[in-house]
Amino acid sequence: MHWKNWESLCKPKASGGLGFKDLEAYNLALLGKQLWRMIKKPTSLMARIFKSRYYRNSDPLNAPVGSRPSYTWRSIHAAHKLIQHGARVVIGNGKDTKVWQERWLGTAPVTTVQSVRLRPGQEHDVLSDEMRVSELMEANGRDWRSEKLEKLFTEETMEKILKIRPAGPHSKDTYSWEFTKTGHYTVKSGYWVQTSLLSVQQDN
């Protein structure tokens, strides 16, 4: 007879469980480590091999699983939701970050642009899928173009953008992990996100 289900036993002792590891969540956290390495080290041999096969025109964080994926890629891809929940783009010069598709606004979790301000007669090419964050900046690469922000975004989105301080024209965009002080992904933090945040969302 089973007096407690496995989910209850995997809860921390402070929450009435026995603190056992949720093996599925822990495996995703480990796979997340591999995905994070591919994101942070795009020139590594592993990243270059997968890029040539699965995301030639994208990046590992936004790549689809593709058709007939290998067991390894399918396994790593399973950690996408976990990494996307905590990975944020740190704006450098903004040239590598797409305004509408990347997660670069807000904190924990970071989001894409959620709303825009559309006015009568506004040019459709302004909302191009390929628009880069650098197009929202002044020539010095450190200040935002206020008029353009007011034209494109709602007040809420503008506030989030203005809180960001670009690193300058000579700095490339990079990724940071929201759930550690250092900004580096760890299996421990990934396991916490999977069990404490994502699992709760799935239950609801």
Side-chain angles (χ1 to χ4, degrees), residues 3-197:
W3 295 101
K4 285 283 188 178
N5 60 30
W6 183 248
E7 289 75 14
S8 298
L9 297 178
C10 289
K11 291 180 179 179
K13 293 181 180 179
S15 301
L18 293 179
F20 293 165
K21 290 287 187 186
D22 182 323
L23 297 182
E24 181 179 358
Y26 191 69
N27 185 53
L28 284 173
L30 289 170
L31 292 168
K33 184 73 171 182
Q34 300 306 316
L35 180 57
W36 186 254
R37 285 175 176 169
M38 293 167 65
I39 293 169
K40 296 293 288 184
K41 298 181 179 180
T43 59
S44 66
L45 178 60
M46 176 184 177
R48 286 186 285 121
I49 290 174
F50 280 104
K51 181 177 179 64
S52 66
R53 175 65 176 84
Y54 298 108
Y55 54 93
R56 291 181 181 178
N57 301 314
S58 182
D59 60 79
L61 189 58
N62 297 295
V65 67
S67 60
R68 301 178 63 184
S70 67
Y71 175 78
T72 303
W73 173 245
R74 189 169 66 249
S75 298
I76 293 175
H77 195 274
H80 260 69
K81 187 174 182 180
L82 166 61
I83 299 301
Q84 287 176 346
H85 198 77
R88 70 167 297 135
V89 178
V90 179
I91 301 299
N93 56 27
K95 293 182 178 180
D96 296 325
T97 303
K98 295 181 179 180
V99 173
W100 314 111
Q101 301 174 27
E102 303 284 355
R103 291 169 174 80
W104 59 288
L105 295 180
T107 57
V110 186
T111 65
T112 57
V113 174
Q114 300 294 307
S115 58
V116 296
R117 187 196 303 274
L118 293 177
R119 297 177 179 176
Q122 185 173 359
E123 300 86 356
H124 290 289
D125 58 350
V126 173
L127 302 179
S128 167
D129 288 341
E130 297 300 315
M131 175 184 271
R132 308 291 168 143
V133 173
S134 58
E135 297 177 50
L136 305 176
M137 298 179 189
E138 298 287 359
N140 61 17
R142 293 185 179 277
D143 298 314
W144 298 102
R145 298 171 60 184
S146 299
E147 291 184 3
K148 190 157 189 173
L149 296 185
E150 291 177 359
K151 181 179 180 181
L152 290 177
F153 305 107
T154 60
E155 291 294 330
E156 181 181 0
T157 301
M158 274 186 60
E159 288 180 6
K160 292 180 179 179
I161 294 175
L162 292 174
K163 289 180 180 178
I164 299 172
R165 294 290 178 263
H170 304 296
S171 300
K172 290 186 176 181
D173 301 337
T174 185
Y175 280 96
S176 177
W177 179 250
E178 287 288 273
F179 297 98
T180 57
K181 293 181 179 180
T182 62
H184 300 301
Y185 177 88
T186 63
V187 174
K188 181 179 180 180
S189 66
Y191 180 78
W192 180 85
V193 170
Q194 183 64 38
T195 55
S196 300
L197 298 182

